[in-house]
């Protein structure tokens, strides 16, 4: 166990995968010479050579398509897309091919593909590099979607995705890359398909994922100082959702605040909310609250960007709202 | 009806007559009216509840025979056995 | 056109909190209908309306605390309904279609499990929504005394005022209850438990009859005098589990036979302990009866409840040696104590009152 950054967690897993299996190769814009837009693959070109760490042209649909072909042909590609905004260019390949082929061929064709992409805002990168569109992928049957929120998950989820025979999309919140946490490089990967309670509490549940987890934990800490104990559930896997864990936490606390950096309308928080209404209606002791991004393209200006995103203060307010002065 | 079942009814009806108390925790030979602070109205209500639950109408003259949980259970058991 | 005002639900009540409207604008009301629930130091009390007509406007929002006498609602008389245009209501809650109770799904689930009627639960959630904690509280109130501190304060205020202002004097009389108890047992023997009568009902009835016979002890002190009241509402002191007491009144007690008094007492005790008394029951006793016999007390010298001018205490019925026709025999006897207000009456009249109580007890069949 050691302290490491989130990007180191990712890099450790990439290196493991490259070492473990000669069929593995990395593919993406700037993953080779530049070491990756977020330095996740720094040093890997030197270690594994240009055959296995391949820079791709700025043509997401093209190189994702090439990776799908390679996966169908027996290789194990791990693709990096610079941001989820750019991944929209590859939606055709991901949604129409990667997600469908096992089903359309009655299981004869597998697409063992891992696609990593940065998501989220907070670093003044402007609207075209700052959105949280993971729900677009979480909508699609045939894809699995993971959202690592900790350094350990950044490693474990890449390895678990690599072990999966079907296409897995990993969304990594870009503000997390330089953050530090505990990393056990030798541990067997924790199953990524389940939600995890990151902090237990009795008064309300915050259900969140990815970059919003740390904000939620800060909010929980602030609330604890006022005697309010919130449970924080990290969804981890956005498709399929861990419905049982979502129901279980609200069954314990009877109040839910959903924190999701994407927009409210048609977002993942809406899906979790609907799940609660379907499966935990009789456990609810207050309306469900959502803390999401303000419904504008994420602004560039610092103060506007800050104002648009979920923050610990907004989460605290939402929790107090569902408690209605009850603590 | 088995003795345990009758006793359970007695305890349940005492709990109803004396809300907020736990008659089940009483010594079965303890005088429950004092222990549970049952006044004559509460006691009448208890006798009424036994009547409703078991169909046994305890006459006033027999009140002294039902003043502990054990005695009350035995009394009711004897009456029910004669049916 | 009438106004429904915050009623005085006790001598020391200065203000009350309107906790629920039971009628809405447009509802037809008759004298005696429950129109609202008001919370006082003695609990939540159902308040009756004294007008006939149609509720026009609710003037006070739920949860507002207002002084006694504050207009709470306007009531259009039945005849003028057509002429009165409906004014927009300043009331925030409840909304016009308030028939629906707003409770969270969990609150409803828990209420069902605990047997709590959600329509009677006071909601403290956002916008007055009933949440689980409210249901838990309501369930707990059924099994324990709510707000003991506030009730204690109210009792303290009333009793302090009584002892400060009222020059009490006390008389006592011990009476042979043998004939009355024999008569009662004979009656009860022939009856199912549901219809049995307790000696307490005989006591209350005897006091009611005596109050009619010697009316000057059946009065309210108005500040200068205490004119006898034309009706007899005997207040019955009811101890609450976990402490505190209330003394709601049985209306027109003197007109009831012993079965009627028993039924009324049983009902009052039930509702007093469930804190579901109406305003007039809480505020309108004209004389009070207290009995501590169940607790083994032999002599119970009570304190008058203002603005009443007399209170009668009963002790435990005990077997004592008693001289009957020159022979000592065991008899069941009870000591009756009267506390009376010396501003209003004197020992002579009070003695007559007490003798009258005794006479009714010695001859329970007396009409």
């Amino acid at each position: 166990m050691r302290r490491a950054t989130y990007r180191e967690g990712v890099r450790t897993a990439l290196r493991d995968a490259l070492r473990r299996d000669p069929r593995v190769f990395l593919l993406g814009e700037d993953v080779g010479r530049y070491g990756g837009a977020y330095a996740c693959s720094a040093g890997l070109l030197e270690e594994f050579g240009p055959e296995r760490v391949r820079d791709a042209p700025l043509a997401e649909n093209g190189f994702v398509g090439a990776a799908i072909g390679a996966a169908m042909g027996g290789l194990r590609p791990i693709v990096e897309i610079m941001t989820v905004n750019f991944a929209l260019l590859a939606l055709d390949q991901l949604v129409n091919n990667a997600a469908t082929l096992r089903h359309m061929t009655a299981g004869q064709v597998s697409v063992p593909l891992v696609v990593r992409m940065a998501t989220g805002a907070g670093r003044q990168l402007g609207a075209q590099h700052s959105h949280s569109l993971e729900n677009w992928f979480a909508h699609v049957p045939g894809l699995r979607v993971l959202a690592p929120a900790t350094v350990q998950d950044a490693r474990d989820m890449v390895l678990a995705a690599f072990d999966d025979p079907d296409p897995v999309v990993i969304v990594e919140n870009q503000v997390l890359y330089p953050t530090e946490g505990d990393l056990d490089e030798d541990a067997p990967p924790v199953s990524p398909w389940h939600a995890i309670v990151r902090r237990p509490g009795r008064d309300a549940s915050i259900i969140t994922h990815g970059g919003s987890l740390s904000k939620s934990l800060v909010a929980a800490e602030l609330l604890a100082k006022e005697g309010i104990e919130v449970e924080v559930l990290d969804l981890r896997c956005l498709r399929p959702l861990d419905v049982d864990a979502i129901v279980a936490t609200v069954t314990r606390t009877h109040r839910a605040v959903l924190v999701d950096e994407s927009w409210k309308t048609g977002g993942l928080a809406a899906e979790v909310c609907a799940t609660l209404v379907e499966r935990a209606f009789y456990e609810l002791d207050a309306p469900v609250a959502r803390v999401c991004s303000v419904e504008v393209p994420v602004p560039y200006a610092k103060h506007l960007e800050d104002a648009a995103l979920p923050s610990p203060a907004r989460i605290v307010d939402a929790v107090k709202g569902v408690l209605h002065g009850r603590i | 009806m088995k003795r345990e079942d009758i006793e359970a009814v007695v305890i349940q009806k005492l709990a109803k007559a004396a809300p907020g108390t736990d008659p089940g925790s009483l010594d079965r030979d303890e005088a429950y009216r004092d222990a549970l602070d049952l006044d004559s109205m509460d006691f009448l209500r208890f006798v009424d509840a036994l009547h409703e639950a078991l169909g046994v109408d305890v006459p006033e003259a027999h009140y002294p025979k039902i003043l502990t949980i054990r005695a009350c259970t035995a009394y009711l058991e004897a009456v029910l056995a004669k049916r | 056109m009438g106004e429904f005002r915050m009623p005085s639900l006790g001598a020391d009540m200065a203000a009350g909190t309107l906790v629920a409207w039971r009628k809405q604008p447009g509802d037809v009301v008759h004298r005696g209908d429950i129109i609202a629930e008001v919370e006082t130091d003695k609990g939540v009390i159902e308040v009756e309306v004294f007008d006939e007509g149609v509720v026009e406007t609710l003037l006070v929002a739920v949860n507002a605390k207002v002084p006694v006498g504050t207009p709470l609602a306007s009531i259009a008389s039945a005849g003028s309904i057509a002429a009165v245009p409906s004014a927009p209501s300043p009331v925030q809650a409840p909304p016009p279609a308030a028939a629906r109770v707003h409770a969270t799904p969990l609150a409803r689930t828990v209420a069902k499990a605990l047997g709590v009627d959600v329509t009677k639960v006071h909601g403290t959630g956002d916008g007055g929504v009933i949440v689980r904690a409210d249901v838990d509280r309501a369930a707990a109130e059924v099994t324990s005394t709510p707000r003991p501190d506030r009730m204690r304060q109210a009792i303290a205020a009333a009793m302090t005022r009584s002892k400060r202002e009222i020059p009490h004097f006390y008389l006592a009389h011990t009476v042979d209850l043998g004939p009355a108890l024999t008569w009662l047992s004979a009656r009860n023997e022939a009856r199912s438990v549901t219809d049995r009568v307790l000696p307490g009902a005989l006591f209350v009835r005897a006091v009611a009859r005596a109050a009619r016979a010697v009316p000057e002890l059946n009065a309210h002190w108005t500040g200068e005098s205490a004119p006898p009241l034309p009706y007899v509402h005997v207040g019955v002191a009811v101890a609450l589990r976990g402490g505190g007491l209330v003394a709601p009144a049985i209306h027109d007690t003197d007109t009831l036979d012993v079965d009627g008094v028993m039924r009324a007492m049983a009902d009052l005790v039930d509702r007093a302990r469930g804190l579901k008394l109406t305003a007039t029951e809480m505020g309108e006793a004209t004389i009070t009866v207290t009995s501590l016999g169940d607790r083994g007390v032999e002599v119970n010298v009570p304190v008058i409840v203002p603005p009443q001018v007399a209170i009668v205490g009963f002790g435990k019925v005990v077997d004592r040696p008693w001289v009957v026709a020159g022979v000592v025999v065991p008899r069941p006897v009870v000591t009756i104590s009267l506390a009376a207000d010396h501003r209003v009456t004197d020992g002579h009249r009070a003695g007559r009152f007490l003798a009258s109580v005794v006479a009714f007890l010695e001859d329970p069949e007396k009409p």
Side-chain angles (χ1 to χ4, degrees), chain C residues 10 19 32 105 109-110 112 216 219 236 246 283 289 315:
Chain C
V19 293
T109 308
V110 173
K112 201 171 175 191
E216 63 196 72
V236 180
V246 289
V289 169

Side-chain angles (χ1 to χ4, degrees), chain C residues 21-38:
Chain C
W21 282 108
R22 298 273 286 270
K23 299 287 182 190
Q24 295 302 318
D27 286 355
V28 174
V29 290
H30 301 287
R31 184 180 164 84
D33 284 355
I34 305 297
I35 185 169
E37 292 177 30
V38 168

Side-chain angles (χ1 to χ4, degrees), chain A residues 254-255 281-287 321 324 326, chain C residues 104-107 109 124-126 131-134:
Chain A
H254 308 295
R255 293 178 165 78
F281 182 76
Y282 295 105
E283 297 294 341
L284 288 171
D285 207 17
H324 189 66
R326 202 146 291 284
Chain C
T104 66
L106 181 65
T109 308
T124 62
D126 198 3
V131 297
R132 189 228 177 109
D134 300 324

